[in-house]
Amino acid sequence: MEIQYVYQKKRSEFGRQCMFSDQGPELIDNYVSNKEHAHEYILRDPVSQGTQCAPIQAEHYLNTTRAAYVNTGINHTEGGWPKDVNIHDEEQTKRYRRKVEKDESFNPTVIQLCKNMESCILQNNAINIYQQYFSDVEPTPLVERSSARTVNVYQDQNPIKRPINHISWSPDSGTKLAITHCNLKFQAPIQNEVTHSYIWEVENPNRPLIVLKPQVPIVCLEYNQKDVNSLVSGQFNGQVGVWDTRRGSEPVELSITEVSHRDPVHNVLWINSKTGTEFFSSSTDGQVKWWDTRKLNSPLETLILSSPGQIIEKAMGASCLEYEPTIPTRFMVGTEHGIVISCNRKGKSPSEKMALKFTAHLGPVLALNRNPAFVKNFLSIGDWTAKIWSEDCRESPIMWTSYHKPMLTDGAWSPTRFSVFFTTRADGTLDVWDILQQQKQACLGVKVCDEPLRCLRTHDMGRLVAVGNSKGSTYLVQFSENLSTCNKNDKMLLTAMFERESRREKILEARNRELRLKMKTKSAQQVATESEMELIEKDKGEGSAMVFMDAHVVAAEKEFFNVVETELRGPQPEVEEHKEEEQQDEYEPEPPAQPEPPPVSPKESKGKDDKKKK
């Protein structure tokens, strides 16, 4: 059934007929705004206002209700935890989760909730055009070429460019970069020295987010992984400092000079503790110190890298530190002598704390980094090569790179692809090594700049790497996805490779020990046969006893007694020396009479004479 309604209106009600012509706009009236009245009103945002000049012809109007939008902040908190569980401590939360999972009512409750959750998920899912209809056939992965590109460049804001010593990513998914600038060259002439270091936003390379203004240049700066606003730093004069980005550009607290390091602090690392306020530092003065940010008046503990005896004058200077949060009591120190020391903080004596030592490089150890999946295997960088070690093999590395022409300056494992590690060189090249693909050369080399690269730091997601050079520029390099994601069998293949190489090195070490033992015994036998043995005869009535002594011991004793006699005599005139020599000649004992030969029978003498004639 159609419903129609006819509007009836007279022609006179429509108004005057409109006559159109070509004519420009005319200003009918102009009202000048009065700014004084603006103080009596409040601006409304947003404003929605409509105007209609013609009269409304409809009998009624209908419109939808306008939605009011309000921007508010929301704090997301994870609830349901007991009071005795610290949600910021990973170990306590994992322990509580395991306890809940072992409960008998856990599985039935989850199964009951899964039905409701599955129905909600199925309602939200759309059709996937890339869905695999045949589940038993694995899709073949696409072969992607390894590539890299420079995303951003962060430059030193000082007109006199300073080298970069340390880079640290913020724990909030790596949105910020803390970069330190300091010239560590010994007795380098520095004019108008500026001590500023910077915190950058990754997306804004034009201007630093925060400028840190210490009294002394910062050598290293490290973010707290549990607090985005908290940092610790190592200073050029040996002090350590605590920073809070919410409280300005100056340090919140500094350690006292008397209890600090004697040399520049090259490394600071946070410790996985319940309070989240403990860290430790190392310096080239040979000391490792543990600190608490709440009390920097004195260190909690100090370890001097000299064994035996805690003698700081004989200590080996620490050039780098390594700490793995999953092993809270273990840490590693790289020294200037090329030795890597694996330490245990729970040791009672210094010798127990520094139990394992690896002779790694010819020069200082510049970088140490444990593999994120295989904590027993670690990477060391020094001189012209990179080496992969296992804690089970102390004498030699299980894998190593060939010697490069330029020196290697830094290195680190990829946090997401366990077979990949990065190295920086002094010619400005960033190398990417994948030991599952090839071991003789790097699978990708990127010429980042012409200046020597000093340090690098990998992002937690694995695709971004920040590298700094000696001219104060930091380059953010992004790699292709195949260098940052693990394949299905990568972990299994890498496990087999490390076990095979460790077994091979153990066999070689045992063989070398056998050869060294054989050479040692052989050399001892040669010395015994070649050395002249002195025969001392002493008549004791019935017979003479023969005593054999080592010729070297006898010679050493004679030389020692001669030196003692000359020291006791002192300087004397020549005449007295002649007299002493004459007296010594007079009182020289006569040589012992030779024993008479036994009598010879006439038959034996006659046989000897016949032999002589023949």
Side-chain angles (χ1 to χ4, degrees), residues 18-52:
C18 295
M19 304 298 293
F20 300 98
S21 63
D22 293 337
Q23 189 177 356
E26 294 181 1
L27 181 63
I28 299 174
D29 202 350
N30 184 20
Y31 294 96
V32 182
S33 61
N34 189 356
K35 297 182 179 180
E36 294 179 357
H37 297 317
H39 299 288
E40 301 176 1
Y41 297 90
I42 298 174
L43 294 177
R44 187 175 61 184
D45 186 20
V47 177
S48 178
Q49 187 174 357
T51 57
Q52 182 68 27

Side-chain angles (χ1 to χ4, degrees), residues 28 50 70 89 101 119 130 147 150 170 174 178 180 233 235 276 335 518 527 557 573 595 606 609 614:
I28 299 174
V70 179
D89 191 357
E101 289 173 359
S119 63
Y130 300 104
S147 60
T150 303
S170 62
T180 62
S233 66
Q235 312 291 113
T335 65
K518 287 181 180 179
V527 169
E557 288 182 355
K606 187 178 181 182
D609 295 336
K614 289 179 181 180

Side-chain angles (χ1 to χ4, degrees), residues 582-597:
E582 292 174 357
Q583 290 176 3
Q584 286 179 2
D585 294 335
E586 290 176 2
Y587 289 99
E588 248 183 22
E590 294 181 358
Q594 296 292 335
E596 294 181 1

Side-chain angles (χ1 to χ4, degrees), residues 143-158:
V143 179
E144 184 182 3
R145 290 187 61 185
S146 301
S147 60
R149 65 186 184 94
T150 303
V151 180
N152 284 330
V153 181
Y154 312 93
Q155 296 181 348
D156 187 6
Q157 304 298 303
N158 186 25

Side-chain angles (χ1 to χ4, degrees), residues 42-255:
I42 298 174
L43 294 177
R44 187 175 61 184
D45 186 20
V47 177
S48 178
Q49 187 174 357
T51 57
Q52 182 68 27
C53 297
I56 299 174
Q57 303 294 334
E59 290 185 351
H60 66 279
Y61 65 92
L62 180 66
N63 196 2
T64 57
T65 306
R66 180 177 177 82
Y69 296 97
V70 179
N71 294 325
T72 58
I74 300 175
N75 293 325
H76 295 278
T77 57
E78 187 177 359
W81 294 99
K83 293 182 179 180
D84 56 342
V85 176
N86 184 10
I87 61 174
H88 300 293
D89 191 357
E90 294 183 4
E91 294 183 0
Q92 292 189 18
T93 54
K94 287 180 180 178
R95 198 181 301 116
Y96 183 74
R97 286 194 183 99
R98 290 195 211 99
K99 181 181 177 182
V100 173
E101 289 173 359
K102 291 180 181 178
D103 193 1
E104 295 179 355
S105 61
F106 177 75
N107 291 334
T109 307
V110 172
I111 292 172
Q112 186 179 358
L113 294 174
C114 282
K115 296 179 181 179
N116 299 331
M117 180 185 67
E118 188 177 0
S119 63
C120 297
I121 293 173
L122 291 174
Q123 291 176 8
N124 294 330
N125 283 345
I127 297 174
N128 184 11
I129 62 174
Y130 300 104
Q131 181 180 358
Q132 291 288 333
Y133 292 97
F134 303 99
S135 59
D136 56 340
V137 179
E138 294 184 0
T140 57
L142 298 175
V143 179
E144 184 182 3
R145 290 187 61 185
S146 301
S147 60
R149 65 186 184 94
T150 303
V151 180
N152 284 330
V153 181
Y154 312 93
Q155 296 181 348
D156 187 6
Q157 304 298 303
N158 186 25
I160 302 173
K161 306 302 179 186
R162 300 160 296 163
I164 293 175
N165 293 300
H166 195 80
I167 300 172
S168 179
W169 290 92
S170 62
D172 54 346
S173 301
T175 59
K176 302 180 189 65
L177 272 174
I179 302 172
T180 62
H181 299 262
C182 180
N183 192 352
L184 293 175
K185 189 175 180 181
F186 182 66
Q187 294 183 349
I190 302 173
Q191 297 178 357
N192 302 325
E193 183 181 7
V194 178
T195 61
H196 295 173
S197 292
Y198 310 101
I199 296 177
W200 297 81
E201 275 187 338
V202 175
E203 300 296 333
N204 184 15
N206 300 320
R207 181 178 296 178
L209 178 66
I210 300 173
V211 180
L212 305 178
K213 301 176 182 178
Q215 298 294 329
V216 182
I218 301 175
V219 181
C220 54
L221 186 66
E222 193 69 30
Y223 265 106
N224 188 349
Q225 297 303 314
K226 296 182 179 180
D227 188 0
V228 185
N229 302 305
S230 179
L231 300 97
V232 289
S233 66
Q235 312 291 113
F236 185 77
N237 61 350
Q239 292 178 302
V240 293
V242 180
W243 300 78
D244 194 337
T245 55
R246 297 166 295 188
R247 297 177 62 179
S249 58
E250 294 183 355
V252 178
E253 191 174 357
L254 286 171
S255 62

